[in-house]
């Protein structure tokens, strides 16, 4: 299991990011914030190590996680009319031994699914301290966020664990968003985000969606593999909300945020995806994980990469990715959206706090059909 501790300390409680000049600021060594962050990371790693021991002793959570992931992957195969009688495949050159420091060694394409999907990794992940440049408030609660976007279908399974109690975190709404295959975010009109003269993008909602965690702390999405854009490696943004409101049209708004982070993918997987269309048509400069500023800050002692398998023979048949995120449910962020989805469409640099959207967009609203975390 891959863990992602939240970088929230008592001193950072209710911290606002409205004044940040950069979406991904660097924290300089020797500063107060650098010391706070280092101290919390060390504490979080100890807490998560303790959680791994505790969770392995109680309630069969690891065993249920393994069975859930395996059942989810098999369900997806049936949905996509893929062969169910062949082993799951993964790119083993770097996935196991280097990219995310998994302790699962000796894996081959014939490894039993019960071993492959088991939550036995000792890895620890950590987010950076900002929600990212293109956070939009008031998005739709839905599991299928693809809409009309073309790309490699990717099924994502994320589990939240409370670092204070070592228990799964239910009833948390997770905001999930990323760029499309050509490196463009929906809902934002800005230089560096596709065609900045296209004002209609402010109303777009593709590749954004919110899911509630179930009693096992699990949320799932169907998306496409994220595209890259200049200066950043391929990544997905995640924000965990509490105590919000789901409106009648399926949008969600909350002022309480207990986790802000990003997750990444192995470089070999990114390379395999990037040679397919429409990713190959992306003219923006590709930044590798090794050259990404956020990855560089985190990679010395933590690991921000999701585990994955191919659902079929290669990426064209789809991918399933999964991980677990350690959060501090007692902490709080005040995030500042770049835009808000309102009843009348997107509004830049505004947080109305009201119902987002008008009619529901295309795609599956609500929870995954017959592929829930409890399956």
């Amino acid at each position: 299991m891959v863990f992602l501790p939240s970088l929230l300390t008592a001193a950072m409680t209710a911290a606002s990011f409205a004044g940040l000049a950069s979406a991904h600021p660097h924290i300089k060594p020797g500063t107060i914030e650098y010391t706070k962050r280092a101290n919390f990371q060390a504490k979080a790693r100890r807490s998560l190590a303790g959680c791994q021991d505790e969770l392995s002793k109680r309630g069969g959570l690891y065993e249920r996680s393994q069975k859930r992931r395996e059942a989810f992957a098999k369900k997806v195969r049936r949905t996509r009319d893929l062969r169910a009688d062949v082993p799951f495949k993964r790119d083993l050159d770097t996935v196991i031994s280097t990219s995310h420091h998994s302790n699962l060694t000796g894996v081959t394409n014939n490894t039993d699914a019960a071993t492959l999907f088991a939550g036995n990794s000792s890895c620890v992940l950590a987010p950076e301290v900002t929600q990212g440049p293109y956070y939009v408030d008031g998005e739709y609660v839905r599991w299928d966020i693809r809409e009309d976007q073309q790309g490699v279908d990717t099924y994502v399974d994320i589990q939240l664990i409370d670092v204070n109690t070592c228990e799964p975190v239910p009833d948390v709404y997770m905001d999930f968003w990323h760029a499309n295959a050509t490196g463009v975010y929906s809902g934002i009109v800005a230089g560096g985000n596709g065609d900045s003269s296209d004002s209609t993008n402010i109303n777009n909602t593709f590749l954004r969606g919110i899911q509630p965690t179930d009693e096992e702390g699990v949320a799932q999405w169907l998306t496409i593999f994220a595209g890259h854009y200049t200066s950043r490696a391929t990544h997905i943004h995640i924000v965990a909300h509490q105590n919000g409101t789901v409106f009648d049209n399926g949008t969600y708004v909350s002022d309480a945020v207990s986790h802000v982070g990003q997750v990444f993918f192995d470089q070999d997987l990114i390379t395999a995806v990037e040679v397919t269309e429409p990713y190959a048509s992306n003219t923006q400069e590709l930044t590798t994980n090794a050259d990404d500023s956020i990855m560089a800050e985190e990679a010395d002692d933590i690991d921000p990469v999701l585990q994955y398998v191919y659902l079929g023979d290669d990426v064209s048949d789809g991918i399933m990715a999964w991980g677990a995120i350690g959060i501090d449910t007692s902490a709080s962020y005040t995030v500042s959206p770049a835009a808000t989805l309102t009843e009348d469409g997107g509004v830049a640099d505004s947080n109305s706090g009201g119902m987002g959207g008008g009619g529901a967009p295309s795609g599956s609203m609500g929870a995954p059909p017959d592929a829930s975390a409890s399956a």
Side-chain angles (χ1 to χ4, degrees), residues 150-152 181 273-282:
Q150 300 299 306
V152 173
V273 171
E274 287 284 344
V275 298
T276 67
E277 290 292 350
Y279 302 90
S281 299
N282 188 347

Side-chain angles (χ1 to χ4, degrees), residues 235-249:
H235 61 281
I236 293 174
H237 297 273
I238 295 174
V239 168
H241 301 275
Q242 294 175 290
N243 304 319
T245 301
V246 179
F247 293 96
D248 290 341
N249 69 342

